Amino acid sequence: MATQHDEPTVDISAEHKDLTFRLELGDALAGAALLAFAVTFWVLGADIDDGGGYGVGAATFPRGIALLLGIGALVLLANGLVHLFGPPSGHLVTIGRPLHVIAGMGLMLAFAPAMRHLGYYPTMGVFLAALLWVADCRRPLHILAYVAGFLLFSKIVFEMILSIPLP
Amino acid sequence: MIDGFLAGLSAFSSWQVMAGLLGGVVIGYVVGALPGLSAGVGMALLIPFTFGLDPVVSVVMLVSLYMASEYSGAIPAILMNTPGEPSSAITALDGYPMRERGEAGEALTLSILGSAVGSIISTLLLIFTVMWMTKIALAFGPTEYFALAVLGLSLISTLAGHSILRGFIALLFGLLLTTVGADPVDGVMRYVFTDNLLGGFPFIAALIGLFALSEVLRMLESPGDRVTPLKELPGLTAQFGLLKPHAGNLVRSTFIGYILGVIPGAGATIASITAYSVQKRLSKSPETFGKGNPEGVVAAETANNACMPGALAPMLALGIPGKASTAVLVGALAIQGVRPGPLIFTQHPEIPYSIYIALLVGMPFMVLLGLFGSRLWVRLTTIPASVVTGIVAATCLLGTYSESNDIFAIGVAVGFGIVGYLLSKVDIEPAPIVLALVLGYMMESNFRRSLVMSGDDMGVFLREPISAICLVLAAVIFVAPLIQNLLTWRRRRGERDIRPGVETEVSR
């Protein structure tokens, strides 16, 4: 892992497979993303019907907030860039097991579209089994038991007791 | 009043009322503990079963459900960083770090006892001040609500972590997200890229994403076979003793919760945030807030439960439901032919007094259930992290869907989860985003309504006394930490000038 004295910008440790980078790089990336977000809201805000532009209209509040967020994001970005090219501050960001995290994000992102097409029970069954596997639960019988238990819980509590239909 | 109490007590002599009370508490525990299901949803689901019941049984059952679910939202907040109720998000800030230290039992004990004290004192306040407090509630118009929202946002400095800049960025990010959907005054559509966003981002989905799903991603970073160490809870009597050092905190948070509960629309989340912020400012160790300080758990839980009897004041005395749960209660009473308002105290005295008695009698039952239950629920923390990760994610996705019956809400929760996870990596915390999501709409809508009513006169905010006081307080709260930071920076610079050879770390 990188130390304060010998600190690369990004380091993927082979031993722990952790992704470590300087906070300044994270600040620059987050600042750029938030700046883009604020600029998008500012630009799209120009198309909002503001009632002729007199007084405080529908666009005033979002554009005002977008402007302030843009300034804040710019400060974060500039601060990050200035420190990135300067001496290391020693503040590091570590993402442990990035492949597990990406797999988890992928499963979550796929859940809603899959539920729309396949329905709740098959989607939840596959999702839960896969997430348990990603989270290091590697005994198939245990996974089966947890999935079956959760689906039964959904059926009894949500569909039968609370009368909430699941697609 | 005595006659009313006698009428209420005689109603409580029936076994059906006691069964309704106990049934309401148990159902409330389950509803509150399930993420996505709020007290209002639970009460609405129960109403069809109350059609054939006596009005007193019906109202006692619904009120005890309301009371229990306001508390039980803290259980998943502490054990899984998944707030069962929106107001429990503040409890999670310190409750979850306590659980990670193996102090889940202590956190659960403090939350149930704090809730009990808040609820009982607040109920007594309700009994004696119901008419007087409703006058305060009526004094709140758009100008005052705007000022109250600004005062709430000024508490950002206590939720921002160690960097005010990052706190403000999170706050502004949240505020910008609240502008998506129909504009609150003219109904003009803003940033609506899909019909699902007509009403803006679903709040519960955003909350579940920011707190719970982002935590699921964090849990995936570590090996799944780890188990949290669990400290043993003391005996039942000693459990009560845990509350001893928090007497002042309890009283303050109860009053904050009760007063904010009376104001229609303010709600338990704002009460929790306010009590938490006040306690952090008065604490001897404010730097440990957000890292598992029990004072934070006590403040948040006491205030959010004290809020509930407060919310009943305008409903009973004026027939004004201040929040979704009390609106459901008004509907349930209307079905039974009872109309809340000033006449309820003379025409149906058994109803308000049964509610008071239900709150006072139901709480000890709830405490016993909570104290014994906490010994059982803490065992959940001994389950391997891999299983907890999977079950928490599945429960959150199911809860998000069931809250709105909309698959789109699941996508929103996942989106907020990923964004919350990535932002937390650069020390931008989710709490200020949640604060903005709670207060953004309230602030903008009342700001614009005030200006419409005053003919675009900005001076209106300083002419109304309640509004002026709130805005001055907000300005002081905003500026104080900045001055404090400036003084600290100057002191450090002075020390560095005196000892030029010593390298000091740059404060971020």
Side-chain angles (χ1 to χ4, degrees):
Chain A
M1 191 171 286
T3 65
Q4 192 172 341
H5 304 292
D6 179 19
E7 196 177 284
T9 307
V10 179
D11 171 37
I12 300 175
S13 161
E15 191 184 346
H16 298 292
K17 300 229 170 30
D18 290 349
L19 173 66
T20 304
F21 54 90
R22 287 169 57 180
L23 180 62
E24 292 83 357
L25 178 65
D27 283 351
L29 292 173
L34 288 166
L35 183 62
F37 182 75
V39 168
T40 307
F41 267 69
W42 170 266
V43 172
L44 293 178
D47 296 333
I48 295 171
D49 179 9
D50 215 359
Y54 175 74
V56 176
T60 314
F61 187 77
R63 293 194 91 194
I65 298 292
L67 182 69
L68 291 174
L69 178 62
I71 294 169
L74 200 60
V75 172
L76 192 67
L77 172 65
N79 203 24
L81 288 176
V82 166
H83 285 96
L84 195 59
F85 296 110
S89 66
H91 297 278
L92 295 173
V93 175
T94 302
I95 296 179
R97 310 200 308 169
L99 291 178
H100 288 72
V101 175
I102 291 169
M105 283 181 186
L107 284 170
M108 285 182 193
L109 286 169
F111 187 86
M115 185 168 156
R116 202 181 295 278
H117 292 102
L118 302 174
Y120 171 75
Y121 288 97
T123 307
M124 183 54 91
V126 174
F127 169 80
L128 186 51
L131 192 64
L132 285 167
W133 183 268
V134 170
D136 293 343
C137 180
R138 296 290 158 89
R139 291 186 178 179
L141 274 179
H142 283 193
I143 293 179
L144 198 68
Y146 291 130
V147 171
F150 191 81
L151 294 181
L152 196 66
F153 162 78
S154 309
K155 182 76 187 170
I156 293 173
V157 175
F158 283 81
E159 286 213 277
M160 292 167 72
I161 297 177
L162 298 173
S163 305
I164 297 170
L166 298 171
Chain B
M1 186 184 278
I2 301 294
D3 291 342
F5 257 106
L6 290 176
L9 281 174
S10 76
F12 260 78
S13 61
S14 106
W15 69 268
Q16 289 98 329
V17 176
M18 289 308 288
L21 178 89
L22 302 184
V25 168
V26 172
I27 298 169
Y29 252 88
V30 176
V31 167
L34 288 173
L37 290 184
S38 61
V41 174
M43 289 162 79
L45 290 168
L46 198 63
I47 281 184
F49 300 100
T50 64
F51 286 156
L53 299 175
D54 178 80
V56 174
V57 179
S58 163
V59 78
V60 163
M61 197 169 177
L62 290 169
V63 164
S64 46
L65 185 156
Y66 183 11
M67 173 179 72
S69 62
E70 285 291 333
Y71 158 66
S72 64
I75 299 169
I78 291 167
L79 295 179
M80 303 185 296
N81 203 23
T82 306
E85 292 276 329
S87 52
S88 312
I90 309 303
T91 310
L93 294 180
D94 283 285
Y96 188 67
M98 284 181 77
R99 173 247 197 252
E100 289 196 307
R101 285 204 308 255
E103 296 167 5
E106 187 182 335
L108 287 168
T109 302
L110 288 174
S111 68
I112 180 66
L113 294 178
S115 299
V117 172
S119 180
I120 289 171
I121 298 177
S122 187
T123 303
L124 295 174
L125 289 170
L126 171 71
I127 294 168
F128 293 106
T129 65
V130 58
M131 292 300 182
W132 188 70
M133 287 307 287
T134 49
K135 286 180 187 162
I136 294 181
L138 285 176
F140 270 70
T143 315
E144 288 77 13
Y145 276 117
F146 165 72
L148 187 68
V150 174
L151 181 59
L153 289 177
S154 70
L155 301 173
I156 175 67
S157 54
T158 52
L159 297 174
H162 59 275
S163 163
I164 298 279
L165 172 69
R166 286 161 212 270
F168 270 109
I169 287 175
L171 187 81
L172 293 166
F173 177 67
L175 281 178
L176 203 49
L177 291 174
T178 63
T179 64
V180 173
D183 142 59
V185 174
D186 305 319
V188 175
M189 291 302 151
R190 301 183 301 193
Y191 314 112
V192 178
F193 306 109
T194 159
D195 288 350
N196 298 94
L197 285 176
L198 287 172
F201 285 108
F203 174 64
I204 299 290
L207 185 73
I208 287 177
L210 283 170
F211 276 89
L213 293 181
S214 64
E215 182 60 30
V216 166
L217 293 173
R218 261 189 296 277
M219 287 161 106
L220 287 173
E221 289 188 22
S222 311
D225 53 357
R226 72 193 186 285
V227 174
T228 312
L230 184 60
K231 290 182 189 166
E232 280 299 313
L233 260 175
L236 203 61
T237 321
Q239 268 183 291
F240 283 97
L242 292 173
L243 212 55
K244 225 175 180 177
H246 302 283
N249 184 357
L250 286 166
V251 174
R252 272 190 301 276
S253 303
T254 300
F255 275 93
I256 290 169
Y258 179 65
I259 291 166
L260 287 173
V262 170
I263 300 165
T269 311
I270 299 177
S272 294
I273 292 169
T274 310
Y276 182 87
S277 304
V278 169
Q279 188 54 35
K280 186 176 176 183
R281 282 178 191 282
L282 297 175
S283 173
K284 286 175 185 161
S285 48
E287 71 285 352
T288 59
F289 273 67
K291 295 171 187 162
N293 189 326
E295 293 173 40
V297 175
V298 172
E301 276 305 299
T302 306
N304 99 46
N305 284 271
C307 193
M308 184 250 169
L312 293 173
M315 187 209 89
L316 287 172
L318 302 168
I320 299 171
K323 55 190 284 191
S325 312
T326 45
V328 175
L329 208 52
V330 169
L333 287 172
I335 290 168
Q336 303 281 358
V338 178
R339 198 184 173 84
L343 294 179
I344 197 172
F345 290 93
T346 50
Q347 288 176 347
H348 299 281
E350 74 282 7
I351 297 287
Y353 287 97
S354 296
I355 291 177
Y356 300 157
I357 296 168
L359 291 171
L360 295 171
V361 174
M363 187 46 81
F365 175 64
M366 218 177 96
V367 169
L368 284 179
L369 203 62
L371 290 181
F372 284 113
S374 60
R375 293 168 187 279
L376 182 68
W377 294 315
V378 291
R379 298 286 155 207
L380 289 173
T381 61
T382 59
I383 296 172
S386 59
V387 180
V388 174
T389 307
I391 299 297
V392 168
T395 310
C396 289
L397 296 175
L398 175 60
T400 304
Y401 174 78
S402 61
E403 192 263 335
S404 58
N405 278 347
D406 185 4
I407 294 176
F408 179 76
I410 295 178
V412 171
V414 170
F416 272 89
I418 293 173
V419 170
Y421 168 77
L422 294 174
L423 289 178
S424 71
K425 286 288 165 190
V426 287
D427 294 342
I428 296 178
E429 300 296 331
I433 303 177
V434 171
L435 179 69
L437 291 175
V438 171
L439 293 173
Y441 185 87
M442 179 177 167
M443 186 170 97
E444 186 194 0
S445 57
N446 288 297
F447 176 68
R448 292 187 54 202
R449 279 187 200 122
S450 304
L451 289 181
V452 169
M453 288 164 72
S454 65
D456 279 338
D457 175 15
M458 291 278 185
V460 69
F461 297 109
L462 294 174
R463 274 200 298 277
E464 302 293 337
I466 295 176
S467 162
I469 291 169
C470 287
L471 289 176
V472 169
L473 268 176
V476 171
I477 294 171
F478 261 127
V479 174
L482 297 177
I483 294 174
Q484 203 174 2
N485 275 6
L486 189 72
L487 290 175
T488 309
W489 177 75
R490 286 188 65 176
R491 199 182 62 231
R492 280 186 184 170
R493 203 180 63 163
E495 284 171 4
R496 209 165 42 198
D497 290 344
I498 296 167
R499 295 180 299 163
V502 180
E503 190 182 321
T504 53
E505 193 181 314
V506 179
S507 172
R508 299 190 67 88

